[in-house]
Amino acid sequence: MVVKVYGPDYASPKRALVCLIEKGVEFETVGVDLFKGEHKAPEYLELQPFGSVPVIQDGDYTLFESRAIARYYAQKYKHQGTDLLGKTIEETGLVEQWLEVEAQCYSPPITDLIYKIVLDPIRGLTPDPKLIKESEDKLCKVLDIYEERLSKSKYLAGDLFSLADLSHLSLTQYLMGKMRKEYLIRDRKHVSAWWDDISSRPSWKKVIELWPGLY
Amino acid sequence: MVVKVYGPDYASPKRALVCLIEKGVEFETVGVDLFKGEHKAPEYLELQPFGSVPVIQDGDYTLFESRAIARYYAQKYKHQGTDLLGKTIEETGLVEQWLEVEAQCYSPPITDLIYKIVLDPIRGLTPDPKLIKESEDKLCKVLDIYEERLSKSKYLAGDLFSLADLSHLSLTQYLMGKMRKEYLIRDRKHVSAWWDDISSRPSWKKVIELWPGLY
């Protein structure tokens, strides 16, 4: 059964896609054009009532929310491909802790920056430098804590590349591209080395080659 | 070994506390007064570098982020107390999906409302009715989807009371108390019945009796 992934051109679905590649799970993608409002079409809302991407269909099973999808495949294929969850319950706890940090602390300011610098101008809105500075300051505080953490362990949850690291790829890639905010990463030695490591994985290279999106 | 839970008076730590009670895990609490800035003290930041609550200590093991803590104990004591994760990987996938919905869609507007209606006045700020209305409208859209979902299944992830439902308790309780926003729940038949069910669990009653906080 080939897994169907909806919305490959956007950041959140890429979190699911890179996980599927790391786990060696076959999939096909279905385009969802958010700019044309395809995520608000009744047949899409049947699959994903909040009208966001991604959603996956795996036979009769439908699942949404990118981090839930990534956890599901990491667990379902625990012993196939890269182990993304850790060997013990304690390791998995730390993976979950840093995955929550990504969702609760890291992603909100970076998403704000993406809206203000990349998406608002597409909609004809002029970015407000003061608001951009505020989001950047919030992100810097988080990155300073990452720098300290990554000075002590190779990856966020410890010695293993895990779901926590993987989950950072799709939004961080924006900083390194046309947003011209790569200094936020490059000014921090350990964060910079971590980014070089995780972003050079064949899984991530494949994702951005096949679905460059707005990077 | 008794688990130490820091910060029981606040909403996020209550997510961990109610999970520990459901699982029958012994714990003790350590007060952290956010109004006195105790979460920014160096010894606290050693445990939780972001300076937020909760954090737990379980022997040598330290873990933060309330949903990560809840997942850890739900998994560690899978066969003790209430099963909060579901019987199959597919059920767990749905639990994770709705737990992510809680974190990404439900909690942000309700947290905004708590700041605007409860916390800002404590700090001497006057609430802006327009901003309150905006957050309430966002929350209503989410609750409309919950109403539809809960018309088809007893709990969010299916027939089982799970981490997904449990994770809603601590923030929803605010709506029902001094915020006087209980109509958001009561105007929706299935959401209202669901709330009565989950909030009448002995675990939750014990939490709000012992740590009434700002409810």
Side-chain angles (χ1 to χ4, degrees):
Chain A
M1 187 75 67
V2 176
V3 180
K4 267 191 202 175
V5 183
Y6 288 73
D9 293 307
Y10 304 96
S12 292
K14 287 184 168 60
R15 195 175 280 125
L17 292 169
V18 66
C19 178
L20 289 167
I21 296 171
E22 288 283 350
K23 300 307 289 181
V25 177
E26 259 195 282
F27 62 88
E28 60 186 31
T29 60
V30 183
V32 181
D33 191 331
L34 305 189
F35 292 95
K36 287 187 184 159
E38 289 175 359
H39 57 310
K40 301 294 179 191
E43 60 271 30
Y44 187 79
L45 293 173
E46 279 288 310
L47 292 176
Q48 213 300 4
F50 296 89
S52 56
V53 289
V55 60
I56 63 101
Q57 284 184 295
D58 190 343
D60 291 339
Y61 191 60
T62 300
L63 198 65
F64 52 82
E65 284 292 336
S66 60
R67 294 175 192 89
I69 295 167
R71 284 182 180 100
Y72 171 71
Y73 285 104
Q75 187 61 46
K76 183 171 178 180
Y77 299 103
K78 174 81 176 143
H79 303 292
Q80 173 181 315
T82 312
D83 174 19
L84 297 167
L85 293 172
K87 287 188 191 66
T88 64
I89 289 178
E90 281 65 37
E91 278 187 358
T92 305
L94 292 176
V95 171
E96 287 292 350
Q97 168 184 290
W98 287 101
L99 191 51
E100 282 293 322
V101 167
E102 180 272 314
Q104 301 293 324
C105 306
Y106 186 82
S107 288
I110 207 167
T111 301
D112 279 349
L113 283 174
I114 293 166
Y115 268 88
K116 285 163 192 158
I117 300 176
V118 181
L119 299 177
D120 284 354
I122 294 177
R123 297 183 181 121
L125 300 169
T126 309
D128 179 339
K130 187 167 160 270
L131 293 177
I132 290 175
K133 176 76 168 47
E134 273 176 25
S135 298
E136 196 168 318
D137 287 349
K138 276 186 201 166
L139 184 58
C140 282
K141 282 187 188 164
V142 177
L143 284 169
D144 285 345
I145 296 169
Y146 280 33
E147 179 67 4
E148 171 71 15
R149 170 67 185 166
L150 293 166
S151 74
K152 292 176 188 154
S153 74
K154 189 172 179 193
Y155 298 104
L156 286 169
D159 292 335
L160 76 158
F161 171 78
S162 76
L163 268 195
D165 308 291
L166 174 148
S167 196
H168 285 75
L169 285 162
S170 59
L171 290 179
T172 310
Q173 188 70 52
Y174 270 103
L175 298 179
M176 313 309 283
K178 65 172 68 152
M179 279 173 75
R180 303 197 164 259
K181 294 283 176 194
E182 65 273 25
Y183 61 87
L184 294 172
I185 302 299
R186 294 300 176 211
D187 286 354
R188 293 169 173 86
K189 180 179 153 193
H190 297 99
V191 172
S192 184
W194 168 75
W195 172 254
D196 285 340
D197 181 326
I198 67 173
S199 65
S200 64
R201 293 181 74 86
S203 59
W204 183 243
K205 287 185 166 177
K206 187 171 173 185
V207 167
I208 56 173
E209 184 191 320
L210 289 176
W211 302 282
L214 293 169
Y215 291 142
Chain B
M1 186 73 68
V2 176
V3 180
K4 267 192 202 173
V5 184
Y6 288 73
D9 293 308
Y10 304 96
S12 293
K14 288 185 169 62
R15 195 175 281 125
L17 292 169
V18 68
C19 178
L20 289 167
I21 297 171
E22 288 283 349
K23 299 307 289 179
V25 178
E26 260 195 282
F27 62 88
E28 59 186 33
T29 60
V30 183
V32 181
D33 192 331
L34 305 189
F35 292 95
K36 288 187 182 158
E38 289 175 359
H39 57 309
K40 301 293 180 191
E43 59 271 32
Y44 188 78
L45 292 173
E46 279 288 311
L47 292 176
Q48 213 300 3
F50 295 90
S52 56
V53 289
V55 58
I56 63 101
Q57 284 185 295
D58 191 341
D60 293 339
Y61 190 61
T62 301
L63 198 65
F64 52 82
E65 284 293 336
S66 60
R67 296 175 190 88
I69 295 167
R71 284 183 180 101
Y72 171 70
Y73 286 105
Q75 186 61 48
K76 183 172 178 180
Y77 298 104
K78 173 81 176 144
H79 303 293
Q80 174 181 314
T82 311
D83 174 19
L84 297 166
L85 293 172
K87 287 188 192 68
T88 62
I89 289 178
E90 281 65 37
E91 278 187 358
T92 306
L94 292 177
V95 171
E96 289 291 352
Q97 169 183 288
W98 288 100
L99 190 51
E100 282 293 322
V101 167
E102 179 271 315
Q104 301 293 324
C105 306
Y106 186 82
S107 289
I110 207 167
T111 302
D112 279 350
L113 284 174
I114 293 166
Y115 269 88
K116 285 164 193 157
I117 300 176
V118 180
L119 299 177
D120 284 354
I122 295 177
R123 298 184 180 120
L125 300 169
T126 308
D128 179 338
K130 188 168 160 266
L131 293 177
I132 290 175
K133 176 76 167 51
E134 274 177 23
S135 298
E136 197 169 317
D137 288 349
K138 276 186 200 166
L139 184 58
C140 282
K141 282 188 189 165
V142 177
L143 283 169
D144 286 343
I145 295 169
Y146 280 34
E147 178 67 4
E148 171 70 15
R149 170 67 184 167
L150 292 166
S151 74
K152 292 177 188 154
S153 74
K154 189 172 179 192
Y155 297 104
L156 286 169
D159 292 335
L160 77 158
F161 170 79
S162 76
L163 270 194
D165 307 291
L166 176 149
S167 198
H168 285 75
L169 285 162
S170 60
L171 290 179
T172 310
Q173 188 70 52
Y174 271 103
L175 297 180
M176 312 309 284
K178 65 173 66 151
M179 279 173 75
R180 303 197 165 259
K181 293 285 178 195
E182 65 273 25
Y183 61 87
L184 294 173
I185 301 298
R186 295 301 176 209
D187 286 354
R188 293 169 173 85
K189 181 180 155 194
H190 296 98
V191 172
S192 184
W194 168 76
W195 171 255
D196 285 340
D197 181 326
I198 66 173
S199 65
S200 64
R201 294 181 74 86
S203 59
W204 183 242
K205 286 184 165 177
K206 187 170 175 185
V207 167
I208 56 173
E209 185 191 320
L210 290 176
W211 302 283
L214 294 169
Y215 291 142

Coordinates of all heavy atoms in Angstrom, one line a residue, chain A residues 49-50 61-65 67-68 71-72 75-76 89-94 96-98 100-101 103-105 141-142 145-146, chain B residues 49-50 61-65 67-68 71-72 75-76 89-94 96-98 100-101 103-105 141-142 145-146:
Chain A
P49 N -10.4 18.5 8.5 CA -11.4 19.5 8.8 C -10.9 20.9 9.1 O -11.7 21.9 9.0 CB -12.2 19.0 10.0 CG -11.2 18.0 10.6 CD -10.4 17.4 9.5
F50 N -9.6 21.1 9.5 CA -9.1 22.4 9.8 C -8.6 23.1 8.5 O -8.2 24.3 8.6 CB -7.9 22.3 10.8 CG -8.4 21.8 12.1 CD1 -8.5 20.4 12.4 CD2 -8.9 22.7 13.1 CE1 -8.9 20.0 13.7 CE2 -9.4 22.2 14.3 CZ -9.4 20.9 14.6
Y61 N -6.7 4.3 6.4 CA -6.3 5.1 7.5 C -5.9 6.6 7.1 O -5.1 6.7 6.2 CB -5.1 4.5 8.2 CG -4.7 5.0 9.6 CD1 -5.6 5.0 10.6 CD2 -3.5 5.6 9.8 CE1 -5.2 5.5 11.9 CE2 -3.1 6.0 11.0 CZ -4.0 6.0 12.1 OH -3.6 6.5 13.3
T62 N -6.6 7.5 7.7 CA -6.3 8.9 7.4 C -5.7 9.6 8.7 O -6.2 9.4 9.8 CB -7.6 9.7 7.0 OG1 -8.2 9.0 5.9 CG2 -7.4 11.1 6.7
L63 N -4.7 10.4 8.5 CA -4.1 11.1 9.6 C -3.6 12.4 9.2 O -3.0 12.6 8.2 CB -2.9 10.2 10.1 CG -2.3 10.4 11.5 CD1 -3.4 10.1 12.6 CD2 -1.1 9.6 11.8
F64 N -3.8 13.4 10.1 CA -3.2 14.8 9.9 C -2.4 15.2 11.0 O -2.3 14.5 12.0 CB -4.3 15.8 9.5 CG -5.5 15.9 10.4 CD1 -5.5 16.6 11.5 CD2 -6.7 15.2 10.1 CE1 -6.6 16.8 12.4 CE2 -7.9 15.3 10.9 CZ -7.8 16.1 12.0
E65 N -1.8 16.4 10.9 CA -0.8 17.0 11.8 C 0.5 16.4 11.5 O 0.7 15.2 11.9 CB -1.2 16.9 13.3 CG -2.3 17.9 13.7 CD -1.9 19.3 13.7 OE1 -0.7 19.6 13.8 OE2 -2.7 20.2 13.6
R67 N 3.5 16.4 12.8 CA 4.3 15.7 13.9 C 3.7 14.4 14.3 O 4.4 13.5 14.7 CB 4.5 16.7 15.1 CG 5.4 17.9 14.7 CD 5.5 18.8 15.9 NE 6.1 20.1 15.4 CZ 5.4 21.2 14.9 NH1 4.1 21.1 14.9 NH2 6.0 22.3 14.5
A68 N 2.3 14.4 14.3 CA 1.6 13.1 14.6 C 1.9 12.1 13.5 O 2.1 10.9 13.8 CB 0.1 13.4 14.7
R71 N 5.5 10.8 14.0 CA 5.5 9.9 15.1 C 4.9 8.5 14.7 O 5.5 7.4 15.1 CB 4.7 10.4 16.3 CG 5.4 11.5 17.1 CD 4.5 11.9 18.3 NE 5.1 12.9 19.1 CZ 4.7 14.2 19.0 NH1 3.8 14.6 18.1 NH2 5.3 15.1 19.8
Y72 N 3.8 8.5 14.0 CA 3.2 7.3 13.6 C 4.1 6.4 12.8 O 4.2 5.2 13.1 CB 1.9 7.6 12.8 CG 1.2 6.4 12.2 CD1 0.5 5.5 13.0 CD2 1.2 6.3 10.8 CE1 -0.1 4.4 12.4 CE2 0.6 5.2 10.2 CZ 0.0 4.2 11.0 OH -0.7 3.2 10.4
Q75 N 7.1 5.0 14.7 CA 6.7 3.9 15.6 C 6.4 2.7 14.8 O 6.8 1.5 15.1 CB 5.6 4.3 16.5 CG 5.2 3.3 17.5 CD 6.3 3.1 18.5 OE1 7.0 4.0 19.0 NE2 6.6 1.8 18.8
K76 N 5.6 2.9 13.7 CA 5.1 1.7 12.9 C 6.3 1.0 12.3 O 6.2 -0.3 12.2 CB 4.1 2.2 11.8 CG 3.5 1.2 11.0 CD 2.5 1.7 10.1 CE 1.9 0.6 9.2 NZ 0.8 1.2 8.3
I89 N 12.9 4.1 26.8 CA 11.8 5.1 27.0 C 12.3 6.4 27.5 O 11.8 7.5 27.1 CB 10.8 4.5 28.1 CG1 10.1 3.3 27.5 CG2 9.9 5.5 28.6 CD1 9.2 2.6 28.5
E90 N 13.5 6.4 28.2 CA 14.1 7.7 28.6 C 14.6 8.5 27.4 O 14.5 9.7 27.3 CB 15.2 7.4 29.6 CG 14.7 7.2 31.0 CD 13.9 5.9 31.1 OE1 14.3 4.9 30.5 OE2 12.9 5.8 31.9
E91 N 15.2 7.8 26.4 CA 15.7 8.5 25.2 C 14.5 9.0 24.4 O 14.5 10.2 24.0 CB 16.5 7.5 24.3 CG 17.9 7.4 24.7 CD 18.8 6.5 23.7 OE1 18.2 6.1 22.7 OE2 20.0 6.4 24.0
T92 N 13.5 8.2 24.3 CA 12.3 8.7 23.6 C 11.7 9.9 24.3 O 11.2 10.9 23.7 CB 11.2 7.6 23.5 OG1 11.8 6.4 22.9 CG2 10.0 8.0 22.7
G93 N 11.7 9.9 25.7 CA 11.2 11.1 26.4 C 12.0 12.4 26.0 O 11.3 13.4 25.8
L94 N 13.3 12.3 25.9 CA 14.1 13.4 25.5 C 13.8 13.8 24.0 O 13.7 15.0 23.7 CB 15.6 13.2 25.7 CG 16.0 13.1 27.1 CD1 17.5 12.7 27.2 CD2 15.7 14.4 27.9
E96 N 10.9 13.5 22.6 CA 9.6 14.1 22.7 C 9.7 15.5 23.3 O 9.0 16.5 22.9 CB 8.6 13.3 23.5 CG 8.1 12.1 22.8 CD 7.2 12.4 21.7 OE1 6.8 13.5 21.5 OE2 6.9 11.4 20.9
Q97 N 10.6 15.7 24.3 CA 10.8 17.0 24.9 C 11.3 18.0 23.8 O 10.8 19.1 23.7 CB 11.9 16.9 26.0 CG 12.4 18.2 26.5 CD 13.5 18.0 27.5 OE1 13.3 17.5 28.6 NE2 14.8 18.3 27.2
W98 N 12.3 17.6 23.1 CA 12.9 18.6 22.1 C 11.9 18.7 20.9 O 12.0 19.8 20.2 CB 14.3 18.2 21.7 CG 15.2 18.4 22.8 CD1 15.8 17.6 23.7 CD2 15.7 19.7 23.2 NE1 16.6 18.2 24.6 CE2 16.6 19.5 24.3 CE3 15.6 21.0 22.7 CZ2 17.2 20.6 25.0 CZ3 16.2 22.1 23.3 CH2 17.0 21.9 24.5
E100 N 8.7 18.9 21.3 CA 7.8 19.9 21.8 C 8.4 21.3 21.8 O 7.7 22.3 21.6 CB 7.4 19.5 23.2 CG 6.3 18.4 23.3 CD 5.0 18.9 22.7 OE1 4.6 20.0 22.9 OE2 4.3 18.0 22.1
V101 N 9.7 21.3 22.2 CA 10.4 22.6 22.1 C 10.4 23.2 20.7 O 10.1 24.4 20.5 CB 11.9 22.5 22.6 CG1 12.7 23.7 22.3 CG2 11.9 22.2 24.1
A103 N 8.1 22.6 18.5 CA 6.7 23.0 18.1 C 6.3 24.3 18.9 O 5.6 25.1 18.4 CB 5.7 21.9 18.5
Q104 N 6.7 24.4 20.2 CA 6.2 25.4 21.1 C 7.1 26.7 21.1 O 6.6 27.7 21.3 CB 6.0 24.9 22.5 CG 5.1 23.7 22.6 CD 3.7 24.1 22.4 OE1 3.2 25.2 22.7 NE2 2.9 23.2 21.7
C105 N 8.4 26.5 21.0 CA 9.3 27.6 21.2 C 10.0 28.0 19.9 O 10.2 29.2 19.6 CB 10.4 27.2 22.2 SG 9.8 26.7 23.8
K141 N 16.8 34.1 21.2 CA 16.8 33.5 22.6 C 16.7 32.0 22.6 O 17.4 31.3 23.3 CB 15.6 34.1 23.4 CG 15.9 35.5 23.8 CD 14.8 36.0 24.8 CE 15.0 37.5 25.0 NZ 13.8 38.1 25.6
V142 N 15.9 31.5 21.7 CA 15.7 30.0 21.6 C 17.1 29.4 21.0 O 17.6 28.4 21.5 CB 14.6 29.6 20.6 CG1 14.5 28.1 20.5 CG2 13.3 30.2 21.2
I145 N 19.8 29.0 23.5 CA 19.7 27.8 24.3 C 20.1 26.5 23.5 O 20.7 25.6 24.0 CB 18.2 27.7 24.9 CG1 18.0 28.9 25.8 CG2 18.0 26.3 25.6 CD1 16.5 29.0 26.2
Y146 N 19.7 26.5 22.2 CA 20.2 25.4 21.4 C 21.7 25.3 21.3 O 22.3 24.3 21.3 CB 19.6 25.6 19.9 CG 18.2 25.2 19.7 CD1 17.2 25.3 20.7 CD2 17.8 24.6 18.5 CE1 15.9 24.9 20.5 CE2 16.5 24.2 18.3 CZ 15.5 24.4 19.3 OH 14.2 24.0 19.1
Chain B
P49 N 16.0 25.3 30.8 CA 16.7 26.5 30.3 C 15.8 27.5 29.7 O 16.2 28.7 29.6 CB 17.6 25.9 29.2 CG 17.0 24.5 28.9 CD 16.3 24.0 30.1
F50 N 14.5 27.2 29.3 CA 13.6 28.2 28.8 C 12.9 28.9 29.9 O 12.2 29.9 29.6 CB 12.6 27.5 27.8 CG 13.3 26.9 26.6 CD1 13.7 25.6 26.6 CD2 13.5 27.6 25.5 CE1 14.3 25.0 25.5 CE2 14.1 27.1 24.4 CZ 14.5 25.8 24.4
Y61 N 16.7 11.5 36.3 CA 16.1 11.9 35.0 C 15.3 13.2 35.1 O 14.4 13.3 36.0 CB 15.2 10.7 34.5 CG 14.7 10.8 33.1 CD1 15.6 10.8 32.0 CD2 13.3 10.9 32.8 CE1 15.1 10.9 30.7 CE2 12.9 10.9 31.5 CZ 13.8 10.9 30.5 OH 13.3 11.0 29.2
T62 N 15.6 14.1 34.2 CA 14.9 15.4 34.2 C 14.2 15.6 32.9 O 14.8 15.3 31.8 CB 16.0 16.6 34.4 OG1 16.6 16.4 35.7 CG2 15.3 17.9 34.4
L63 N 13.0 16.1 32.9 CA 12.3 16.2 31.7 C 11.4 17.4 31.8 O 10.8 17.7 32.8 CB 11.4 14.9 31.4 CG 10.9 14.7 30.0 CD1 12.0 14.4 29.0 CD2 9.9 13.5 30.0
F64 N 11.3 18.2 30.7 CA 10.4 19.3 30.6 C 9.5 19.3 29.4 O 9.6 18.3 28.6 CB 11.1 20.7 30.8 CG 12.2 20.9 29.8 CD1 12.0 21.4 28.5 CD2 13.6 20.8 30.2 CE1 13.0 21.6 27.6 CE2 14.6 21.0 29.3 CZ 14.4 21.5 28.1
E65 N 8.6 20.2 29.3 CA 7.5 20.3 28.3 C 6.4 19.3 28.8 O 6.5 18.1 28.7 CB 7.9 19.9 26.9 CG 8.7 21.1 26.2 CD 7.8 22.3 25.9 OE1 6.6 22.1 25.8 OE2 8.4 23.4 25.8
R67 N 3.5 18.1 27.6 CA 3.0 17.0 26.8 C 4.0 15.9 26.6 O 3.7 14.7 26.5 CB 2.6 17.6 25.4 CG 1.4 18.5 25.5 CD 1.0 19.2 24.2 NE 0.1 20.2 24.4 CZ 0.4 21.5 24.6 NH1 1.7 21.9 24.6 NH2 -0.5 22.4 24.7
A68 N 5.3 16.3 26.7 CA 6.4 15.3 26.6 C 6.4 14.5 27.9 O 6.6 13.2 27.9 CB 7.8 15.9 26.4
R71 N 3.4 12.1 27.8 CA 3.7 11.0 26.9 C 4.6 10.0 27.6 O 4.4 8.8 27.5 CB 4.3 11.4 25.6 CG 3.4 12.1 24.6 CD 4.1 12.4 23.4 NE 3.3 13.1 22.4 CZ 3.3 14.4 22.2 NH1 4.0 15.2 22.9 NH2 2.4 14.9 21.2
Y72 N 5.7 10.5 28.3 CA 6.7 9.6 28.9 C 6.0 8.7 29.9 O 6.2 7.5 29.9 CB 7.7 10.5 29.5 CG 8.7 9.7 30.4 CD1 9.7 8.9 29.9 CD2 8.7 9.9 31.8 CE1 10.6 8.2 30.7 CE2 9.6 9.2 32.6 CZ 10.5 8.4 32.0 OH 11.4 7.7 32.8
Q75 N 3.6 6.1 28.5 CA 4.3 5.0 27.9 C 5.0 4.1 28.9 O 5.0 2.9 28.9 CB 5.3 5.5 26.9 CG 6.0 4.5 26.0 CD 5.1 3.7 25.2 OE1 4.2 4.2 24.5 NE2 5.2 2.3 25.2
K76 N 5.7 4.8 29.9 CA 6.5 4.0 30.9 C 5.5 3.1 31.7 O 5.9 2.0 32.0 CB 7.2 5.1 31.8 CG 8.0 4.4 32.9 CD 8.9 5.5 33.6 CE 9.7 4.9 34.7 NZ 10.5 5.9 35.4
I89 N -1.2 0.8 17.2 CA -0.4 1.9 16.6 C -1.4 2.9 15.9 O -1.1 4.1 16.0 CB 0.7 1.4 15.7 CG1 1.8 0.7 16.5 CG2 1.3 2.6 14.9 CD1 2.9 0.1 15.7
E90 N -2.4 2.4 15.3 CA -3.3 3.3 14.6 C -4.1 4.2 15.6 O -4.4 5.4 15.4 CB -4.3 2.5 13.7 CG -3.7 2.1 12.4 CD -2.5 1.1 12.6 OE1 -2.6 0.2 13.5 OE2 -1.5 1.2 11.8
E91 N -4.6 3.6 16.7 CA -5.2 4.3 17.8 C -4.3 5.4 18.4 O -4.7 6.5 18.5 CB -5.7 3.4 18.9 CG -7.1 2.7 18.6 CD -7.6 2.0 19.8 OE1 -7.0 1.9 20.9 OE2 -8.7 1.4 19.6
T92 N -3.1 5.0 18.6 CA -2.1 5.9 19.1 C -1.9 7.1 18.2 O -1.7 8.2 18.6 CB -0.7 5.2 19.5 OG1 -1.0 4.1 20.3 CG2 0.2 6.2 20.1
G93 N -1.9 6.8 16.9 CA -1.7 7.8 15.8 C -2.8 8.9 16.0 O -2.5 10.1 15.9
L94 N -4.1 8.4 16.2 CA -5.2 9.4 16.4 C -5.1 10.1 17.7 O -5.4 11.3 17.7 CB -6.5 8.6 16.3 CG -6.8 8.1 14.9 CD1 -8.2 7.3 14.9 CD2 -6.9 9.2 13.8
E96 N -2.3 11.0 19.0 CA -1.2 12.0 18.7 C -1.8 13.1 17.8 O -1.4 14.3 18.0 CB 0.0 11.3 18.1 CG 0.8 10.5 19.0 CD 1.6 11.3 20.1 OE1 1.6 12.5 20.0 OE2 2.1 10.7 21.0
Q97 N -2.6 12.7 16.9 CA -3.2 13.7 16.0 C -4.0 14.8 16.8 O -3.8 16.0 16.7 CB -4.1 13.1 15.0 CG -5.0 14.0 14.2 CD -6.0 13.3 13.3 OE1 -5.5 12.7 12.3 NE2 -7.2 13.2 13.6
W98 N -4.9 14.3 17.7 CA -5.7 15.2 18.5 C -4.9 15.9 19.6 O -5.3 17.1 20.0 CB -6.9 14.5 19.0 CG -7.9 14.2 17.9 CD1 -8.1 13.1 17.2 CD2 -8.7 15.2 17.2 NE1 -9.0 13.2 16.2 CE2 -9.4 14.5 16.2 CE3 -9.0 16.6 17.4 CZ2 -10.4 15.2 15.3 CZ3 -9.9 17.2 16.6 CH2 -10.6 16.5 15.5
E100 N -1.9 17.0 19.0 CA -1.3 18.0 18.2 C -2.3 19.1 17.9 O -2.0 20.3 17.9 CB -0.7 17.5 16.9 CG 0.6 16.8 17.1 CD 1.8 17.7 17.5 OE1 1.8 18.9 17.0 OE2 2.6 17.3 18.3
V101 N -3.5 18.7 17.6 CA -4.6 19.7 17.4 C -4.7 20.6 18.7 O -4.8 21.8 18.6 CB -5.9 19.1 17.0 CG1 -7.1 20.1 17.1 CG2 -5.8 18.5 15.6
A103 N -2.5 21.2 20.9 CA -1.3 22.1 21.1 C -1.3 23.2 20.0 O -0.9 24.3 20.3 CB 0.0 21.3 21.0
Q104 N -1.6 22.9 18.8 CA -1.4 23.8 17.7 C -2.7 24.7 17.4 O -2.5 25.8 16.9 CB -1.1 23.0 16.4 CG 0.2 22.2 16.5 CD 1.4 23.0 16.6 OE1 1.5 24.1 16.0 NE2 2.4 22.6 17.4
C105 N -3.8 24.2 17.6 CA -5.1 24.9 17.2 C -5.9 25.4 18.3 O -6.5 26.5 18.3 CB -6.0 24.0 16.3 SG -5.1 23.3 14.9
K141 N -14.1 28.6 15.9 CA -13.9 27.8 14.7 C -13.4 26.4 15.1 O -13.8 25.4 14.5 CB -12.9 28.5 13.8 CG -13.6 29.6 13.0 CD -12.7 30.2 11.9 CE -13.3 31.4 11.4 NZ -12.4 32.3 10.6
V142 N -12.5 26.4 16.0 CA -11.9 25.1 16.5 C -13.0 24.3 17.2 O -13.2 23.1 16.9 CB -10.7 25.3 17.4 CG1 -10.2 24.0 17.9 CG2 -9.6 26.1 16.7
I145 N -15.4 22.5 15.0 CA -14.9 21.2 14.4 C -14.9 20.1 15.5 O -15.2 19.0 15.2 CB -13.4 21.4 13.9 CG1 -13.5 22.4 12.7 CG2 -12.8 20.1 13.5 CD1 -12.2 22.9 12.2
Y146 N -14.6 20.5 16.7 CA -14.7 19.5 17.8 C -16.2 19.0 18.0 O -16.4 17.8 18.2 CB -14.3 20.2 19.2 CG -12.8 20.3 19.4 CD1 -11.9 20.5 18.4 CD2 -12.3 20.2 20.7 CE1 -10.6 20.6 18.6 CE2 -11.0 20.3 21.0 CZ -10.1 20.5 19.9 OH -8.7 20.5 20.2

